[in-house]
Amino acid sequence: MAIAGLLLAWQLYAELSGISPTTLPSPWRVAQQAWIHKTALYDNALPTVRATLFGFACSLMTAFLLSILMDFSRPLRRALFPVFIISQTLPLVAIAPLVVLWFGFGLVPKIMLVALVTFFPMLVALVQGYEATEKEIAQLLQSMGASRWRVFWLARLPSALPFFFAGLRISITYAVVGAIFAEYAGAAKGLGIYILNAKNNFRPDLVLAAVGVSATLTLVLFGITVLVQRLAMPWHRFEREQAR
Amino acid sequence: MSGMRLQLEDIRKNFGETAVLDGVSLHVREGEFVSILGPSGAGKSTLFQLLTGAEHADGGAISVNGASVSGQNRDLAFMPQRDALMPWRSILDNVTLWLEVQGMTRKAARAKVTPLLGEFGLAGFENHYPAQLSGGMRQRAALLRTVVQERSLLLLDEPFGALDALTRTSMQRWLEVMWKRHRWTALLITHDVREAVFLSDRIYVLSARPARVLHEFQIPLPRPRDGSAKGLQEASAIEAAVLETLLIREQAGGPHP
Ligand SMILES: Nc1ncnc2c1ncn2[C@@H]1O[C@H](COP(=O)(O)OP(=O)(O)O)[C@@H](O)[C@H]1O
Ligand SMILES: [Mg+2]
């Protein structure tokens, strides 16, 4: 609804103010051009999707493994956390060209950048989630003679799930942007390079069309995480009903 | 002494600077229902932490079935304060938790526990999640999870503390029946005087922190304590005496920080 209203206002403004379509094209024009250039858009979206998914998968696995190590070792947690926080303060604009310089125009630097921007929210969510385990549940398992690893598997990991999915939703919104940024810094194909070219050719309509595609991608990924959460946490629904 | 299930002698425990248990001695015999009654924050749950091995005493001796305890895997089953049901497991899988920890497969554990569900009023709810159940049912599930461990002593930490008055009363009656039928030996923590008197053979009244045993009460009321007029009258006389012990010592000790 809000999006429809925004588009309508934009359409009206673009038509009535007499602004040149090379400065601000109307949404209708963007849609038309997107349709005309759909093959090129599709061809360029594909590498972006690939970089996003691979990068995200790498980041997810690394975050998961490291979170377990950090949960089992307090010194490791103390040592590593500052490093990760610093990694988050690095400006992407500066990092992206460097990574491309070091690793070339292929898939690797893109995967690395996507991983870099999505890694931290998931790691923090997992580590915090483990900590949120109900004290009584841990004590109960201990009284049953469960090992530390069993306590982690039976109690700490499931307790972290709601936190994990919250972190996942934040991460996924960064993922596409991260990939586009990497392509912007240098790529043969991809939405990032498509946007760069369209800008250089004074085609704001195609820039916006590509932005539309990336926004749709992000929304789809977000939707998938919500779906996965429903499947992975079927009890969550009842807890929310109860809270009301 | 034979038939002695649990013996605590002069147990002391500090958390940093705070003395929590200041020389607690008590015992539980086979088949007895014993309660520990004391104000909130006295150190009652801490006592159970020492028994389960989650914490270590700074002084004193604990023996279960006549043997001094050390390490994990003691012959007692613990029901934590609040039900501590795992929200992500169905009721059935919560109840089988201990069997699974012992290495039984999920399937075998389920088969073993299923016949017990009816007696605990959980039949038909085995596939529900804890969030879908009423408070009373959750407590029965938590109790079933405790008794399937078939240990020689049940440690129950304020099992009915979070229930409304009506549910609590009916749960207390149900527990008395179950205890008698199954010949459990139970040590119950509560801060509810009526609950302690209704359920127990003996009551240890603890002081506020740092906790000591103020007094030991015998409750010679006949069982089953189904709430007959005569029984109620005798019970309320004992309740008054217990309450007096708690309140007078509270005043004598002065306000606590
Ligand atoms: N792990 C702990 N570390 C420090 N203080 C604790 C710890 N556990 C309990 N305490 C303190 O010990 C006191 C007794 O707690 P507890 O045994 O839970 O009381 P209750 O009688 O209400 O069950 C409280 O003041 C509590 O703050
Ligand atoms: Mg307590």
Side-chain angles (χ1 to χ4, degrees):
Chain A
M1 268 307 282
I3 295 171
L6 208 64
L7 284 178
L8 190 67
W10 173 9
Q11 178 79 27
L12 288 175
Y13 179 78
E15 276 178 23
L16 299 178
S17 70
I19 194 166
S20 148
T22 53
T23 310
L24 181 71
S26 73
W28 179 239
R29 191 187 149 80
V30 172
Q32 274 178 325
Q33 290 300 315
W35 183 250
I36 292 167
H37 292 89
K38 60 179 183 294
T39 331
L41 277 170
Y42 178 77
D43 279 350
N44 283 287
L46 226 48
T48 309
V49 170
R50 204 176 300 137
T52 304
L53 292 184
F54 275 120
F56 199 70
C58 286
S59 141
L60 182 66
M61 274 188 299
T62 321
F64 185 57
L65 289 177
L66 270 172
S67 75
I68 296 176
L69 288 179
M70 286 164 85
D71 193 56
F72 276 79
S73 159
R74 197 174 288 271
L76 198 64
R77 187 172 355 167
R78 285 222 198 90
L80 287 182
F81 240 94
V83 178
F84 296 138
I85 291 173
I86 290 170
S87 81
Q88 289 308 291
T89 62
L90 301 175
L92 209 52
V93 197
I95 289 294
L98 276 179
V99 174
V100 170
L101 187 70
W102 294 332
F103 296 98
F105 290 91
L107 197 57
V108 177
K110 278 119 207 148
I111 290 176
M112 287 182 67
L113 277 170
V114 172
L116 184 74
V117 294
T118 58
F119 166 76
F120 193 67
M122 283 193 288
L123 183 80
V124 172
L126 281 168
V127 170
Q128 277 184 343
Y130 301 146
E131 286 300 311
T133 307
E134 220 183 293
K135 202 170 85 257
E136 283 87 357
I137 292 182
Q139 202 196 335
L140 174 73
L141 281 168
Q142 207 182 10
S143 83
M144 292 176 168
S147 66
R148 193 146 174 232
W149 176 248
R150 282 314 275 285
V151 174
F152 177 82
W153 187 249
L154 289 171
R156 294 180 79 80
L157 190 59
S159 297
L161 277 181
F163 292 79
F164 167 69
F165 278 107
L168 189 70
R169 284 199 296 272
I170 296 173
S171 268
I172 207 91
T173 56
Y174 296 159
V176 180
V177 179
I180 288 178
F181 237 105
E183 291 163 354
Y184 216 81
K189 256 187 177 177
L191 282 179
I193 209 74
Y194 187 86
I195 289 172
L196 193 66
N197 288 336
K199 190 195 81 177
N200 291 342
N201 295 333
F202 304 102
R203 291 298 300 271
D205 47 352
L206 290 182
V207 171
L208 287 168
V211 168
V213 171
S214 98
T216 311
L217 273 178
T218 303
L219 276 178
V220 168
L221 290 176
F222 192 88
I224 291 174
T225 62
V226 172
L227 211 67
V228 171
Q229 178 169 20
R230 278 222 189 120
L231 292 175
M233 301 178 53
W235 67 91
H236 199 52
R237 191 158 59 90
F238 304 115
E239 288 195 319
R240 281 210 308 249
E241 274 168 20
Q242 196 188 37
R244 242 179 280 145
Chain B
M1 193 191 283
S2 73
M4 191 65 86
R5 280 289 160 88
L6 174 72
Q7 189 142 28
L8 303 185
E9 272 173 88
D10 199 27
I11 296 294
R12 293 170 187 281
K13 177 69 188 170
N14 306 320
F15 284 118
E17 295 288 286
T18 324
V20 177
L21 300 174
D22 184 22
V24 174
S25 301
L26 56 83
H27 65 271
V28 182
R29 286 199 191 85
E30 188 180 341
E32 258 193 321
F33 199 118
V34 175
S35 290
I36 298 174
L37 184 67
S40 286
K44 305 184 294 299
S45 297
T46 304
L47 204 57
F48 275 11
Q49 286 188 310
L50 300 179
L51 291 176
T52 61
E55 294 280 350
H56 294 281
D58 296 318
I62 302 174
S63 55
V64 177
N65 292 327
S68 155
V69 297
S70 57
Q72 290 275 312
N73 239 341
R74 303 164 173 197
D75 192 14
L76 32 85
F78 169 54
M79 175 168 167
Q81 196 170 357
R82 297 192 279 170
D83 51 47
L85 293 173
M86 295 178 169
W88 54 87
R89 281 181 166 235
S90 69
I91 289 303
L92 188 57
D93 290 341
N94 263 290
V95 168
T96 58
L97 188 62
W98 180 78
L99 296 168
E100 269 183 64
V101 169
Q102 297 309 302
M104 202 183 264
T105 64
R106 226 175 227 213
K107 196 162 163 240
R110 284 176 174 172
K112 183 171 162 136
V113 163
T114 302
L116 300 170
L117 291 169
E119 203 180 1
F120 281 73
L122 296 167
F125 291 90
E126 47 268 53
N127 295 320
H128 285 55
Y129 287 107
Q132 294 172 278
L133 264 56
S134 69
M137 292 181 88
R138 291 178 63 120
Q139 292 301 330
R140 285 200 296 266
L143 188 69
L144 179 52
R145 180 189 58 196
T146 316
V147 302
V148 293
Q149 302 177 32
E150 293 175 341
R151 296 308 179 100
S152 60
L153 176 64
L154 302 179
L155 302 178
L156 312 175
D157 193 349
E158 299 195 21
F160 310 135
L163 302 179
D164 63 87
L166 201 60
T167 312
R168 193 184 312 152
T169 307
S170 79
M171 288 290 292
Q172 286 161 359
R173 290 189 179 192
W174 174 81
L175 180 60
E176 199 215 351
V177 172
M178 295 291 280
W179 166 77
K180 197 111 186 96
R181 186 188 301 162
H182 293 276
R183 302 168 183 284
W184 292 331
T185 305
L187 180 59
L188 172 95
I189 285 179
T190 180
H191 55 236
D192 180 340
V193 176
R194 180 159 293 174
E195 176 169 294
V197 171
F198 178 78
L199 288 168
S200 313
D201 298 313
R202 284 185 300 119
I203 301 176
Y204 290 99
V205 178
L206 294 194
S207 68
R209 203 187 69 210
R212 282 169 299 111
V213 174
L214 290 176
H215 198 53
E216 180 187 335
F217 286 91
Q218 303 279 340
I219 316 295
L221 300 175
R223 295 184 187 267
R225 296 174 180 167
D226 46 14
S228 69
K230 185 164 174 295
L232 280 177
Q233 210 171 18
E234 285 175 44
S236 59
I238 299 173
E239 279 165 27
V242 174
L243 203 56
E244 202 65 8
T245 312
L246 270 170
L247 292 177
I248 286 174
R249 298 303 175 114
E250 190 88 321
Q251 278 166 5
H256 284 270

